[in-house]
Amino acid sequence: MVKLSDNHPEKWAKSNHSKVKHILLEKYIGAWVRVIGKWSRQLLYVDGFAGRNEYIDGSPGSPSIAINTFAQISNLNSEVICFFVENDKENFSNLKKTIEQHELPENVKAHCKNDRFDTAINTLLDRFDERHVILPSFYFIDPFGYTGIPFSTIQRLLSKQKSEVFINFMIRDVHRFLTHPNQGMNFDELFGCSNWKDLIDEKERRNALLSFYINRLLLDTGAKYCIPFKFCEDEKNSEIYYMIYATGHFKGLDIMKDIMAKQNANFAFLGPKEYEYQQTRYTTLYNNEEEQVRNMILNEYKGKIIGFDALREETWYLPIARTTYNKVCRALEKEGSIRVNRISSAKTGIKEKDQIVIP
């Protein structure tokens, strides 16, 4: 197979899964700016693989999506510093041209850098360290493959307080080339260790690789929470990559989970045939979120009292959004299986510090 260059036209035909990915990005960074902007005067947004910022059909790339999102927030009092990194010279030329076409509001700044992701990010972090600057930061890291995103760099940026990432883990290619004799150093760099070799003979190798990478983020960076969203082929239910959101703050996770769930309750994009998959051989994978939450509350929390937000935070690793927890708790209360001591909500709602009593 001939490897296409990053500026090859075939790589800039916008796929259905790219559209969904950009919806997740747009929705989250809009919420991120509104929440963090209430208390921080400056915010940093970084697109580590900004590309050419324009698809062959003329639709905008992730840099313009971010700029447009920030520019449309009329009551934003913070300054948003956007940093767009692209290594390919041809892509960078188009990126710079399209960014310059934007009429930026005074509180949105855009900087373009023609460099490798890891070089540009470490240079930026060095500069912040020298000045003792810590900015709330969001890093969108979306390369075409699995190289160029050393774990050491991810580790460093997530060690900074208030930093979050949304990173592409290219599971299809990682799985495919895991035993290739020339790729060992690349995988050492990607995972930040050589223990990935222990997974070569795993029967469910894709799942094992995803779990291994997420555990590396949770155990060896400043991230406390990670949640993946699966993307599949446009014409078949086969994973291409996962977009993994990692943060040190439950509030951010809570927002992202709700955004992901609105795209698909199972935190996945399965392609144009998604409905068909749900109705046939993949039926058992769907519509079990409510049953899962119900059984967990009644069995694991039997005889306990726990706050609504505390319950969700303790079970943050489940790909289940706030609305499902709320729906299940209200149904359990109605049937008399639990009692709710309302502290934060009105007579019928359930939220925040409301206590759930499981007899």
Side-chain angles (χ1 to χ4, degrees):
M1 178 183 290
V2 178
K3 183 179 180 181
L4 302 178
S5 63
D6 284 355
N7 59 49
H8 195 283
E10 284 188 29
K11 287 194 172 183
W12 293 99
K14 193 160 190 178
S15 61
N16 288 316
H17 55 77
S18 291
K19 294 174 185 177
V20 174
K21 174 171 57 183
H22 287 160
I23 289 173
L24 298 177
L25 174 68
E26 179 183 6
K27 297 291 185 183
Y28 184 78
I29 60 176
W32 173 72
V33 165
R34 288 182 176 91
V35 172
I36 306 298
K38 292 178 181 179
W39 54 265
S40 181
R41 294 178 60 186
Q42 280 189 322
L43 309 173
L44 174 66
Y45 174 81
V46 177
D47 190 329
F49 294 83
R52 67 193 305 273
N53 193 33
E54 188 177 40
Y55 289 89
I56 57 176
D57 65 357
S59 58
S62 54
S64 285
I65 289 171
I67 286 177
N68 291 335
T69 300
F70 301 144
Q72 290 169 8
I73 302 176
S74 58
N75 60 345
L76 179 60
N77 296 320
S78 301
E79 179 183 63
V80 183
I81 303 169
C82 299
F83 194 58
F84 303 118
V85 182
E86 174 55 36
N87 190 42
D88 182 271
K89 290 184 178 179
E90 188 174 325
N91 282 345
F92 180 78
S93 177
N94 201 76
L95 165 69
K96 197 168 185 296
K97 180 187 72 175
T98 54
I99 294 299
E100 290 172 349
Q101 292 172 352
H102 282 274
E103 294 184 9
L104 298 176
E106 290 185 2
N107 61 339
V108 178
K109 310 297 182 185
H111 305 277
C112 299
K113 182 69 173 177
N114 183 204
D115 209 341
R116 287 168 50 93
F117 163 74
D118 57 328
T119 303
I121 296 307
N122 281 293
T123 300
L124 181 67
L125 294 176
D126 286 344
R127 195 180 309 153
F128 286 158
D129 287 348
E130 289 171 2
R131 296 163 50 197
H132 303 287
V133 172
I134 300 177
L135 294 181
S137 306
F138 185 89
Y139 295 83
F140 180 55
I141 305 170
D142 187 26
F144 280 120
Y146 55 81
T147 60
I149 47 173
F151 189 81
S152 58
T153 299
I154 306 301
Q155 189 176 40
R156 185 181 180 192
L157 63 86
L158 276 174
S159 71
K160 304 296 180 183
Q161 190 180 15
K162 307 167 189 173
S163 290
E164 305 179 355
V165 303
F166 196 33
I167 185 169
N168 185 323
F169 183 66
M170 190 66 71
I171 188 66
R172 178 186 62 186
D173 293 350
V174 172
H175 171 75
R176 179 182 177 185
F177 292 103
L178 198 68
T179 57
H180 194 287
N182 297 331
Q183 293 300 305
M185 290 182 63
N186 286 329
F187 289 123
D188 285 350
E189 183 179 79
L190 174 68
F191 291 107
C193 66
S194 60
N195 293 349
W196 56 269
K197 296 176 183 177
D198 298 336
L199 307 177
I200 289 176
D201 296 325
E202 287 282 337
K203 290 184 179 179
E204 298 292 334
R205 194 164 77 184
R206 292 187 184 218
N207 291 337
L209 287 165
L210 175 66
S211 296
F212 183 68
Y213 190 72
I214 288 178
N215 284 333
R216 291 285 288 139
L217 291 173
L218 290 172
L219 297 174
D220 295 290
T221 75
K224 294 181 180 178
Y225 311 101
C226 290
I227 197 77
F229 191 98
K230 180 170 69 173
F231 288 85
C232 295
E233 295 277 11
D234 282 352
E235 296 301 330
K236 57 182 180 179
N237 186 248
S238 177
E239 301 128 313
I240 318 172
Y241 59 88
Y242 287 85
M243 290 303 300
I244 300 173
Y245 168 74
T247 182
H249 304 279
F250 179 70
K251 177 68 173 178
L253 178 82
D254 198 27
I255 293 171
M256 180 61 93
K257 286 177 75 173
D258 278 353
I259 291 169
M260 287 180 171
K262 286 177 181 176
Q263 294 307 308
N264 182 298
N266 295 275
F267 290 35
F269 170 76
L270 303 179
K273 297 182 179 181
E274 182 169 313
Y275 180 78
E276 177 183 323
Y277 292 127
Q278 292 185 24
Q279 299 303 311
T280 56
R281 61 194 177 109
Y282 292 96
T283 302
T284 56
L285 298 179
Y286 294 84
N287 302 319
N288 63 352
E289 296 86 2
E290 292 180 21
E291 182 180 357
Q292 187 175 2
V293 173
R294 176 188 176 90
N295 291 338
M296 175 190 65
I297 291 173
L298 295 181
N299 297 326
E300 297 182 25
Y301 289 89
K302 185 176 182 179
K304 298 181 180 179
I305 299 175
I306 188 168
F308 180 70
D309 276 1
L311 169 68
R312 295 186 303 110
E313 187 166 359
E314 281 191 12
T315 58
W316 65 266
Y317 49 87
L318 297 174
I320 298 172
R322 181 198 308 119
T323 52
T324 300
Y325 281 88
N326 190 285
K327 183 177 180 181
V328 170
C329 286
R330 293 180 68 177
L332 287 173
E333 181 189 29
K334 186 175 181 180
E335 69 184 44
S337 297
I338 66 170
R339 189 173 76 255
V340 178
N341 296 331
R342 287 181 169 79
I343 298 171
S344 301
S345 63
K347 292 182 179 180
T348 58
I350 301 177
K351 63 181 182 179
E352 298 171 1
K353 296 181 181 180
D354 290 345
Q355 294 180 334
I356 301 170
V357 182
I358 306 95

